[in-house]
Amino acid sequence: MDRRKFLKGSAILSGLLTLSPSDLWSFGKNSETSGTGKAKNIIFMVSDGMSLGTLSMADLYSRNILGKGSNWFNLYHEKKVTRALMDTASASSIVTDSAAASSAFGGGIRVKNGTLNMGANGEKHLPIWQQYKKAGKKAGCVTSVTITHATPAGFCVNSSRRNAEPQIVEMYADLELDVLLGGGDEFFNPSKREDKKDLYSVYRQKGYRILKTQNDLKEIRKGEKLLGIFNTGALPYSIDRAHLQEFKNTPTLAEMAHTAIHQMKDHPEGFVLQVEAGKVDWAAHANDVAALIHDQLAFDEAVKTAIDFAEKDGNTLVIITTDHGNANPGTIYGTEATKNFNSISDYQYTNEYILNKIQKEHSVKDIKDWIYEANKIVLNDEEAKHMLSFYNGLEKEEEGLYNYKKLPFKLYSDIQKSRNSVGWISMDHSGDYVEVAAYGPGNELLQPFIKNTDLHDLMLKACLI
């Protein structure tokens, strides 16, 4: 044995053993990308309900089908970010909902599931975007679901009920947040609200430009406050937007994020922005693999938008994470696993769209033809008959969050599983630890293992207030 090589290797090993866990976590990190000093801006990005399997499958699909790695994983490969695992529990459970999770980020405390920044005794914890607004910064939220949904609301308001969305709209108006982009026309439109209040008029009186379509994003003027409401309910899933003409004039998450950043970036005191891919969570609740992967990739494009800006700006902290896992999807071992997974590229629509098109009057052949057209899946007669039995009332209706029409999501995902080698543990949230990445000034504050409330403290330490 070469004694000099042995001694050199021993010295390296002993040096590694003297490092703290934090040092080991960031070992090999490019020091040029480490944050230093204080951030002027924050972009906080949440892929709602993103289990690690979701992140992994989106990267795998991107590499196998699109021929490129995902933007999130490229940040790891290029050592541009610090990275952590995060415990997502709420005050009432090891498995959180989005309201309690967002309150951990926004209010800095763990609250019971279903509440927004409200303590056990009714005490209100000041949401972080309000803190930054009072300090002179601009503040905004962007989401692919309703703008009043739990994740954006957790950064902005206090409420004992996350479902109080008609009231949250009015709270936003009082706060005069600078940019609000997402869905939820039913909470602004007097013809759809129970109290008949015209919240669009309220926002107009406060100086907001109202946006309704993708084309409207081209008409904004610098310095305007923006309220963009692009759908009743949530925005369409990304895969349906790509293939259905009726959704072509709906902006992507990346387009909305770009609009929000550029509307606020020149403010002398800086800005804070939350960007949420809310329908990743909805897709996981439905065990809908095509919806899940394509909305995660839409989030990934928004990540690129944020990082591209932050790299040029030099004063922006970008935090990329999720609020909790959901359904823990993943690829399953087998001789045809790769081929089966890649077959997802043949899927043209979400399961929601596919199943909504089936009617009880359809024949077995009709269903087999439609499923082949939509997913290139060849059903056998028994599978087609089983699906049809749901529409004829012969099977018990499926429940599930966001399954408003009681569609047979579980049945159909099981059929897909036998062809695409993707499995699910449930149709609901999970308590697994999740990924966090941070780029820019203050990213050095991110420790290897954190609680969700730690991100609240990190933002306040990293960004001037």
Side-chain angles (χ1 to χ4, degrees):
M1 177 182 290
D2 186 325
R3 184 170 180 272
R4 285 173 296 177
K5 288 183 178 178
F6 175 78
L7 291 174
K8 182 179 179 182
S10 299
I12 292 172
L13 179 59
S14 66
L16 282 172
L17 292 174
T18 63
L19 293 172
S20 68
S22 177
D23 291 327
L24 281 169
W25 188 264
S26 57
F27 189 75
K29 184 176 64 180
N30 183 347
S31 61
E32 292 181 5
T33 64
S34 298
T36 55
K38 290 282 189 178
K40 181 179 179 182
N41 312 311
I42 297 173
I43 303 174
F44 195 105
M45 309 196 70
V46 182
S47 179
D48 197 299
M50 186 203 74
S51 296
L52 181 56
T54 300
L55 181 62
S56 302
M57 289 194 301
D59 183 70
L60 183 63
Y61 186 95
S62 188
R63 286 189 285 111
N64 286 10
I65 306 303
L66 306 179
K68 60 180 182 177
S70 65
N71 296 303
W72 189 332
F73 270 80
N74 286 343
L75 293 172
Y76 291 166
H77 291 308
E78 296 165 11
K79 299 180 174 64
K80 287 187 174 182
V81 292
T82 52
R83 181 182 176 191
L85 284 177
M86 179 171 66
D87 174 358
T88 63
S90 71
S92 55
S93 176
I94 59 171
V95 183
T96 190
D97 79 333
S98 293
S102 188
S103 297
F105 303 145
I109 46 109
R110 284 182 165 173
V111 300
K112 292 181 179 180
N113 289 346
T115 63
L116 294 163
N117 299 306
M118 300 289 287
N121 298 312
E123 64 274 21
K124 295 182 178 180
H125 295 264
L126 186 64
I128 194 166
W129 268 200
Q130 287 195 41
Q131 294 185 51
Y132 280 118
K133 277 287 287 182
K134 290 180 179 180
K137 293 185 184 296
K138 290 195 172 185
C141 292
V142 168
T143 182
S144 58
V145 294
T146 56
I147 193 60
T148 47
H149 216 255
T151 301
F155 277 59
C156 302
V157 302
N158 305 92
S159 177
S160 59
R161 294 186 305 111
R162 60 172 287 175
N163 294 328
E165 294 185 75
Q167 291 74 43
I168 291 171
V169 167
E170 298 184 73
M171 296 179 195
Y172 285 173
D174 291 338
L175 295 173
E176 297 197 33
L177 298 167
D178 298 276
V179 177
L180 295 167
L181 304 177
D185 176 69
E186 65 271 36
F187 304 120
F188 296 83
N189 193 324
S191 68
K192 298 176 182 178
R193 286 179 61 104
E194 286 187 12
D195 59 13
K196 305 303 179 185
K197 289 183 180 178
D198 184 351
L199 269 296
Y200 286 124
S201 177
V202 170
Y203 278 79
R204 285 192 185 94
Q205 290 171 11
K206 290 178 176 288
Y208 284 82
R209 176 180 284 266
I210 310 299
L211 313 173
K212 290 298 186 74
T213 69
Q214 182 188 54
N215 290 334
D216 290 344
L217 298 181
K218 304 170 186 176
E219 304 299 325
I220 61 177
R221 293 189 294 269
K222 206 68 180 174
E224 290 180 311
K225 295 195 293 291
L226 301 180
L227 174 66
I229 303 300
F230 304 105
N231 204 27
T232 298
L235 273 60
Y237 284 106
S238 296
I239 189 172
D240 287 342
R241 180 188 179 278
H243 291 103
L244 296 171
Q245 188 62 38
E246 63 198 270
F247 298 135
K248 293 293 186 182
N249 204 12
T250 305
T252 67
L253 191 67
E255 288 169 339
M256 292 190 292
H258 179 271
T259 296
I261 290 167
H262 282 267
Q263 194 67 358
M264 298 190 293
K265 68 182 179 67
D266 295 327
H267 185 57
E269 302 301 320
F271 71 89
V272 291
L273 173 68
Q274 185 206 76
V275 179
E276 183 207 15
K279 294 204 79 172
V280 169
D281 183 64
W282 293 30
H285 279 297
N287 285 187
D288 188 337
V289 69
L292 185 83
I293 289 174
H294 286 276
D295 263 69
Q296 181 63 33
L297 290 174
F299 177 76
D300 198 63
E301 287 302 308
V303 167
K304 183 179 187 303
T305 296
I307 294 295
D308 285 351
F309 168 76
E311 285 184 323
K312 293 177 182 178
D313 176 69
N315 294 308
T316 300
L317 170 64
V318 182
I319 297 172
I320 311 164
T321 189
T322 181
D323 51 353
H324 52 75
N326 190 340
N328 285 32
T331 49
I332 303 167
Y333 179 79
T335 57
E336 299 293 315
T338 302
K339 177 184 175 182
N340 290 348
F341 178 80
N342 290 348
S343 73
I344 297 167
S345 64
D346 292 327
Y347 296 8
Q348 299 297 302
Y349 313 109
T350 60
N351 293 355
E352 180 179 67
Y353 181 79
I354 292 167
L355 297 175
N356 265 319
K357 286 292 182 181
I358 298 175
Q359 304 295 322
K360 64 181 180 180
E361 297 83 11
H362 285 171
S363 67
V364 167
K365 183 180 184 302
D366 290 335
I367 291 177
K368 291 172 71 173
D369 289 346
W370 170 232
I371 295 302
Y372 184 78
E373 178 185 339
N375 282 170
K376 295 295 185 288
I377 289 175
V378 179
L379 296 183
N380 59 46
D381 286 351
E382 287 305 310
E383 289 170 326
K385 288 176 183 176
H386 195 181
M387 289 186 66
L388 188 57
S389 68
F390 274 85
Y391 296 87
N392 289 324
L394 301 177
E395 293 277 354
K396 182 181 178 182
E397 289 184 340
E398 285 193 13
E399 300 296 328
L401 198 59
Y402 308 122
N403 188 5
Y404 302 116
K405 295 186 178 180
K406 311 300 182 187
L407 298 171
F409 285 139
K410 182 66 168 63
L411 169 64
Y412 191 53
S413 72
D414 284 344
I415 291 172
Q416 290 176 320
K417 172 184 172 182
S418 67
R419 275 79 165 181
N420 62 29
S421 296
V422 173
W424 312 76
I425 67 163
S426 74
M427 302 183 83
D428 216 332
H429 295 183
S430 55
D432 41 316
Y433 300 146
V434 299
E435 286 278 333
V436 184
Y439 173 89
N443 77 338
E444 73 282 357
L445 298 171
L446 184 65
Q447 298 302 304
F449 184 75
I450 63 172
K451 295 193 299 184
N452 42 15
T453 51
D454 292 333
L455 289 183
H456 175 93
D457 299 332
L458 187 153
M459 284 188 281
L460 291 177
K461 290 176 183 176
C463 190
L464 294 169
I465 193 167

